[in-house]
Amino acid sequence: MTPRRSTRQITLGNNRTGIVRIGGGLNGTQPAPVAVQTMTAGYTHNIDACVAEINKLAAAGADIVRVAVPERKDTEALKEILQQTQVPIVADVHFHYKRALEAIEAGVHKIRLNPGNINDRQQVNSVIDACKERGIPIRVGVNEGSIIERKDKQKRMEELGKYFAGHRSGHLLALMIAKLEEYLDIFHEKEFFDICISAKSMDPALTIDIYTEISKRFDYPLHLGVTHAGPKETGCIRSVVALGTLLANGIGDTVRISYANDPVYEVEDALEMLYCLGMRNRVGAELIACPTCGRIQVDLFTLVQKVRKKLRSEIDLPIKVAVMGCVVNGPGEAEGADVAVFAGDRRGIIYVQGERVANVPEEEILDRLLTECRTFQEKVRRGEAKLGEKKVAIVPPDPIGELGSGHEKIAAGRVERITVGQT
Ligand code: SF4
């Protein structure tokens, strides 16, 4: 892991929402944790639905939520939405500078602007002036899809043709940097530096290249994202490959993973990425589970999904929980966990910090495992136990029979059943 690059810092929010800082390390600021953003999927002018969605995203862990304001009725809804929500809101503005002015007037906490799709420089200037007056930061964003004006479609296709013809990121990269520099000049001329920047591509490799290049050229905090990443199943890979690589290289101050799906998944996956990189303190349990193989001795896939769902709703502390399919790797993995189960012959042997506490039939594993998790959580809360502490080494059940045992072998009596020493 490369240390985080130092940047200027921007802040957004107020007493009601809490202040969220993005970036830092320069000008006497302390680097803020990488902030997680997402965007509502519904219409902003549907006030109740929009408020409900924002609150749901904030509850999932979003630090900042962006809303689209394509029409006057959307900015008109903002005032009410801001009163009913407690997370900083960003207004996403395209084409109509007046939407930005209206959103600022409504009290929005940040503006996302693509100067490339607002034709008149004076209009952009009026947005900058309004933000400056109220201390509202602006994200200056270029997207691969909008770096050449739509009226120049033919030219754009030629540019993209050159890019796809062989040079993986040279031509388009240069084009995006040039556009970004051009846009930033507008802000610098107005002496406006309360800026976060983004340059998104649909291509993870280009995303890595462009943000790496930008990080050398500008000291503004960076908003990372892969645009149009697609459905969750593949979009997750596209986003995490690019964003995870950049973050591990010390680049990036706020992230948005984008899916063609419920944005709650965007928040959950962005947080999990940051937990995995050690960039945020985990909230809730950490679940590890084996992939299963021919030695599996319970229906682990179903069990893992049920455990995952229950842990989310019942456990707040970062308890490490292991669910393992047999005794081969079970004890080893379980040793590093606070609460663990490894399976044998349609039973589950449950451990809490290395101490065996139960040996139950398969149908009782879920309930007993969760009971142990809840009890352990309460003990931690009362100061009677500490997370990550291992009291005793786990000894695999004995005898375990030959490795590679499966149901058939057990049924054939070639392997002893792992039911000895029931607790
Ligand atoms: S723990 Fe057992 S069942 Fe799971 S993958 Fe490892 S050997 Fe296979």
Side-chain angles (χ1 to χ4, degrees):
M1 294 284 288
T2 306
R4 285 268 300 283
R5 135 191 184 271
S6 291
T7 70
R8 296 165 187 252
Q9 187 172 75
I10 64 168
T11 61
L12 55 155
N14 53 31
N15 288 344
R16 179 184 170 74
T17 62
I19 301 288
V20 174
R21 299 177 198 285
I22 300 177
L26 297 179
N27 308 327
T29 58
Q30 290 298 316
V34 175
V36 171
Q37 304 197 26
T38 187
M39 192 166 178
T40 53
Y43 294 119
T44 305
H45 57 260
N46 288 348
I47 295 177
D48 290 347
C50 186
V51 165
E53 190 175 14
I54 290 169
N55 288 337
K56 185 175 75 163
L57 294 169
D63 300 304
I64 300 162
V65 177
R66 187 157 41 115
V67 298
V69 287
E71 298 181 49
R72 179 86 175 99
K73 58 185 175 183
D74 296 307
T75 49
E76 278 172 353
L78 274 178
K79 206 163 191 171
E80 185 61 37
I81 290 168
L82 289 164
Q83 276 172 9
Q84 294 188 44
T85 53
Q86 291 184 313
V87 64
I89 304 290
V90 183
D92 192 71
V93 177
H94 288 277
F95 306 119
H96 303 290
Y97 80 106
K98 280 194 174 164
R99 297 295 92 77
L101 296 178
E102 290 154 8
I104 295 162
E105 185 61 33
V108 83
H109 307 108
K110 185 178 161 202
I111 294 288
R112 185 266 161 133
L113 205 65
N114 181 349
N117 59 31
I118 296 178
N119 285 334
D120 186 333
R121 170 75 72 91
Q122 285 315 312
Q123 294 177 348
V124 178
N125 283 345
S126 66
V127 176
I128 296 172
D129 288 341
C131 282
K132 202 171 186 180
E133 198 182 311
R134 292 183 178 235
I136 295 173
I138 299 177
R139 168 157 69 95
V140 182
V142 293
N143 270 20
E144 181 187 323
S146 61
I147 49 169
I148 295 175
E149 291 73 12
R150 280 158 204 242
K151 61 187 179 216
D152 246 345
K153 200 171 175 189
Q154 183 56 38
K155 189 176 165 201
R156 177 167 185 267
M157 294 315 291
E158 284 169 20
E159 300 287 2
L160 290 175
K162 283 181 201 165
Y163 163 58
F164 285 118
H167 207 313
R168 181 123 185 97
S169 53
H171 198 85
L172 199 56
L173 176 67
L175 210 56
M176 288 178 78
I177 297 275
K179 270 292 176 204
L180 191 57
E181 283 177 339
E182 188 186 307
Y183 295 158
L184 287 173
D185 283 346
I186 302 172
F187 291 80
H188 294 164
E189 274 177 28
K190 300 284 293 176
E191 297 193 348
F192 187 91
F193 305 103
D194 202 4
I195 290 169
C196 177
I197 55 183
S198 65
K200 295 188 183 179
S201 165
M202 61 181 175
D203 180 325
L206 177 58
T207 301
I208 293 169
D209 284 346
I210 191 159
Y211 276 102
T212 302
E213 193 57 39
I214 287 172
S215 71
K216 295 177 200 159
R217 289 166 182 257
F218 308 106
D219 60 5
Y220 293 114
L222 298 181
H223 167 114
L224 304 185
V226 172
T227 192
H228 313 139
K232 173 175 161 49
E233 293 74 14
T234 49
C236 181
I237 308 293
R238 296 175 76 82
S239 294
V240 173
V241 162
L243 274 51
T245 302
L246 287 162
L247 291 166
N249 289 336
I251 298 167
D253 305 287
T254 177
V255 294
R256 185 210 173 178
I257 286 181
S258 59
Y259 296 145
N261 208 320
D262 186 334
V264 164
Y265 295 127
E266 300 180 359
V267 178
E268 289 174 353
D269 291 356
L271 282 168
E272 188 60 39
M273 174 178 69
L274 295 174
Y275 296 151
C276 290
L277 289 167
M279 293 181 139
R280 291 280 292 254
N281 292 327
R282 184 176 286 279
V283 176
E286 176 179 10
L287 176 60
I288 54 176
C290 84
T292 81
C293 70
R295 299 176 190 93
I296 186 69
Q297 299 190 352
V298 293
D299 177 5
L300 199 86
F301 289 170
T302 306
L303 177 63
V304 166
Q305 287 311 321
K306 286 181 179 169
V307 170
R308 181 173 180 263
K309 208 170 160 193
K310 289 280 188 186
L311 288 176
R312 285 193 165 195
S313 60
E314 297 186 25
I315 301 297
D316 308 318
L317 298 181
I319 296 172
K320 197 167 183 178
V321 180
V323 180
M324 307 299 293
C326 79
V327 295
V328 174
N329 292 321
E333 291 290 351
E335 263 190 321
D338 295 305
V339 182
V341 57
F342 52 91
D345 187 22
R346 301 233 172 258
R347 297 188 71 84
I349 302 154
I350 298 174
Y351 287 79
V352 176
Q353 295 203 313
E355 210 167 354
R356 184 158 65 177
V357 295
N359 181 338
V360 295
E362 182 174 7
E363 56 276 15
E364 294 174 24
I365 293 175
L366 179 67
D367 284 348
R368 185 61 190 262
L369 187 71
L370 287 162
T371 300
E372 296 302 335
C373 288
R374 285 191 294 264
T375 306
F376 180 69
Q377 175 167 260
E378 286 314 308
K379 279 188 175 174
V380 173
R381 287 209 167 108
R382 291 197 299 268
E384 294 166 12
K386 271 191 189 160
L387 293 168
E389 210 173 52
K390 188 174 59 172
K391 288 186 190 149
V392 289
I394 289 179
V395 180
D398 181 36
I400 61 169
E402 63 187 67
L403 298 184
S405 61
H407 297 300
E408 297 82 3
K409 289 178 182 175
I410 293 166
R414 289 171 52 202
V415 179
E416 286 202 50
R417 298 163 71 89
I418 309 166
T419 52
V420 289
Q422 285 201 30
T423 306

